Amino acid sequence: MESQFETQFLALRKKYIEAQFGKLNPVQRDAVFTTDGPLLILAGAGSGKTTVLVNRIANLIRFGSAHSSTYAPQGAGPEQVAELERLLHSGGEPSEALRPFLREHTVRPYNVLAITFTNKAAGELKNRLSAMLGEAGQDVNASTFHSACVRILRREAGRLGYPQSFTIYDTDDQQRAMKEVYKSMNIDDKFLPLKSAIGAIGRLKDKMISPQDAMSAPADTRAGLVAKVYDAYQKRLLQAGAFDFDDLIYATVKLLRDFEDVREYYQNRFRYILVDEYQDTSVAQFQLVYLLGGEHRNVCVVGDDDQSIYRFRGATIENILNFEQHFPGAKVIRLEQNYRSTSNILNAANCVIKNNMGRKGKTLWTENGNGEKLMCYEADSEFDEAAHVAAVIGQNVKKGAKLRDHAILYRMNAQSGPIETYFARAGIPYKIVGGQRFYDRKEIKDMLAYMSIVANEQDDLRLRRIINEPARKIGATTVQNVADIAAGLGVSMLEVIEHAPDYPALARASAALGGFWRIYRRLKEAYDTMPLDVFVSEMLEITGYRSMLEAEGEEGQTRMENIGQLVSSVKTYADQRGPEASLPGFLEEVALISDIDSYDEGADVVVLMTMHAAKGLEFNYVFIVGLEEGIFPSEMSRYSNEDLEEERRLCYVGITRAKKELYLSCANSRMLFGQTKHNRPSRFLEEIDASLVEVEQSPAAAQTKAMRQRYMQQQNAYLQTEYGAASMRSTVQAGYSARYGGASHGSGAGGASRPARQRASVGGGFSTVQAGSAASVPRTEGSGAYRPGDLVEHKVFGRGEVLKVTPVAGDTIVEIRFDTAGVKKTMANYAPLKHISE
DNA sequence: TCGATCACGCTTTTT
DNA sequence: GCGTGATCGA
């Protein structure tokens, strides 16, 4: 029976616990204090889901399920009630005596597994947990699917016939391996391109389909061929002791499925499981979660079906749609209040996403004000677009914004080029996230390959990469001979090299191979006797890589610097991990790290990245560039409704990154991959309600447009006199909207009927011809205009004095000392620069 | 076996 | 437009 004090204590304790967790709205609080059983949190963009996750974990660890109404605080008496009242009133820490009354079977930090999408998100989670819980926060398992799997595989890989020190293959390694498969099977890559084979195999693994399954019932000849190369590829990887990215998940699921003791161990280890970004999980990842959490059923997943943007990589939105079937009795909580964006931005996002079918359905709302309207800029070219972005950033910085508050988002990495060029010349500091990773550079990959063969001597693929780098007179024929002998004997290539003189086929090359073997031995020795970072820098000498680069001159110089960076990251790793540090450990970290993980908000620079990379981030000012049909939505998605909906979700993700202001832009012409294209404005622009947007057209774009219209009118006149067939031209203009430039060709219920809301400068329809400057790059005064001593005003850096002027091909480098920004070099033709007098 | 030259193709998004 | 790979000649 509950005593009167117990009842009183229960109520007080509820209040006390809730007071421990910052301000949460009622729905968030519900999510935080739902401690046990399956839970699906549908969290809209900017709804504070990370806060919920952090608080939920912290509550589990500090108070367990003590908040639940079923728990009775047995034996609580007047002293406990009195102390709790005091704590509630004036704060402070509970006494040791009180603590047992406050919690109920609390959860050990290492019993919690939190899976996030990037390493960076995992790190943030840990940091926030540490801030709330101290040391215990560090003991929570927070990682990506891939690194969680690697940790399990490092213990258990032996059961699958893989070495403890297995290698992780990236996409480049995959291609090399597949190329060898093709060669050995005599397959022409014209029939089945390498990349599609690799992609198809990846999708099979995402669905947990084994090579045998795939071979047993191929749907068609192509599927049959895929199954065959899949089988051969997999054998090759096993031989090399290597997993590719998809294998990491696949193999772990297999391990948990087939080995009961392993499964039970990890089920008990991870009593509480949380999965973030659940909308982007694959079938295999679902099975992993289910195998780990199906028993205790303390599985909490967080996701937003509207932000699912990795279908192309095997993510299946069904996971989130079917969660309640997978975990019967699951509780569902919806976080729909947005704390991030202005309501104009949010409404724009809602406008776009509501065009998708098959959503779980939710509408975000906010108590934030309307804010500014969205700006849409219609540029003439991609350079014009870049110039405009730079100019707006300049204005914002002048008003007190930081450069780092600005993000420029695009559909594909190739779009960063013109912006980069413009910013570099204008002297605007920026950073690109994504694109080519540091670890993808050739010299770095070479170094990593050397390290790989020391860590895992079976790794023939990495061996092939560096056996003749630097040149050691070991040519393709020799390598092939070694590979053939190794394959015949079922041993590694290194083993064949060790005994090279024994094989007649290698007689001619045995001196060169002997030389390589001695290098390998010296590497091994260095590895055994030296600290990790010393070993890596020693490697440069032993392999002769340094001398090779030194002979290369300037290019080699920068490569040396990159390798220097690698050495220092090895050192950082070794320092951080202490005795735990190992070579396989470092290689694994490198393999699983992505560029976004190292994105540092601290540096005051503009950030450029794809919308995919921007997922989970937020910025005060966001630019989405290249909103054109064929770019975004991409050309590839044009003919598939499902792909198009994914593009739309990506657009939704992009828009909802913005907190204060959102700038959209498109260009009338764009050079991409060496070809100039004239794209229509994106349908996504059309979908945003006109009342939310202010449209601005660049003067140059207006002029180009006027010219094109004149041309078209001439064509029309010609066609009419010649054929009297007005219909022939309609295809030329079909789809152009009234709002975003060009001729309107009334597309029914679309934008044609909307009120024109453009600024005065925008000419809508046929009649208006724009007068304006033809300059595609605005407002510069020409190279000769600056002299040392001149006072100038830069749009981003403010006032400064010209120090030095150096003419270069067609332009001038102007070195300026700014009042606040220090000394910078800018290009006169590009920098947003003008003269001022005092 | 090596080096230079040429042609080719390829670009959605990424752990 | 770029980098990579293939090919050719030495």
Side-chain angles (χ1 to χ4, degrees), chain A residues 518-588:
Chain A
R518 281 190 294 280
I519 290 173
Y520 177 70
R521 290 287 301 278
R522 284 178 64 199
L523 286 175
K524 269 281 202 202
E525 199 192 317
Y527 172 57
D528 290 337
T529 54
M530 297 172 181
L532 214 50
D533 57 306
V534 183
F535 156 66
V536 176
S537 53
E538 193 59 25
M539 200 164 76
L540 272 175
E541 316 299 335
I542 297 175
T543 59
Y545 211 90
R546 179 192 287 277
S547 354
M548 177 182 85
L549 290 183
E550 274 167 358
E552 266 178 32
E554 207 171 318
E555 172 111 345
Q557 188 86 34
T558 54
R559 288 177 175 212
M560 268 312 299
E561 284 163 18
N562 288 333
I563 294 176
Q565 251 188 75
L566 177 72
V567 174
S568 55
S569 72
V570 173
K571 187 156 171 40
T572 315
Y573 165 81
D575 291 348
Q576 269 173 5
R577 296 304 172 91
E580 297 263 293
S582 71
L583 189 52
F586 176 76
L587 291 171
E588 153 193 327

Side-chain angles (χ1 to χ4, degrees), chain A residues 158-221:
Chain A
R159 304 210 192 209
L160 300 171
Y162 277 80
Q164 208 83 5
S165 57
F166 58 81
T167 311
I168 301 169
Y169 277 3
D170 64 14
T171 28
D172 185 62
D173 299 322
Q174 281 184 294
Q175 285 190 32
R176 287 163 181 267
M178 189 55 87
K179 202 170 266 178
E180 284 166 30
V181 168
Y182 271 39
K183 210 157 74 183
S184 72
M185 297 177 74
N186 260 326
I187 296 172
D188 187 354
D189 72 340
K190 293 229 164 47
F191 190 58
L192 179 67
L194 275 183
K195 282 187 175 168
S196 21
I198 290 170
I201 291 171
R203 300 298 73 79
L204 289 171
K205 288 178 184 171
D206 286 333
K207 294 191 195 119
M208 292 303 300
I209 297 172
S210 70
Q212 288 71 38
D213 296 342
M215 282 190 294
S216 67
D220 48 45
T221 46

Side-chain angles (χ1 to χ4, degrees), chain A residues 39-47 49-50 52-53 115 117 274-281 300-309 316-317 319-321 323 332-336 360-362 364 615 652:
Chain A
L39 172 64
L40 167 62
I41 303 176
L42 294 169
S47 59
K49 67 168 177 160
T50 312
V52 167
L53 277 175
I115 295 175
F117 200 68
L274 299 93
V275 185
D276 196 8
E277 310 282 10
Y278 194 63
Q279 75 280 359
D280 283 321
T281 50
C300 164
V301 303
V302 188
D304 177 359
D305 51 319
D306 289 335
Q307 292 190 63
S308 163
I309 53 174
T316 157
I317 206 160
N319 284 349
I320 204 164
L321 299 177
F323 185 78
V332 182
I333 293 176
R334 290 163 186 270
L335 301 175
E336 294 185 309
K360 203 136 181 154
K362 75 177 159 352
L364 281 180
K615 175 165 146 170
Y652 179 80

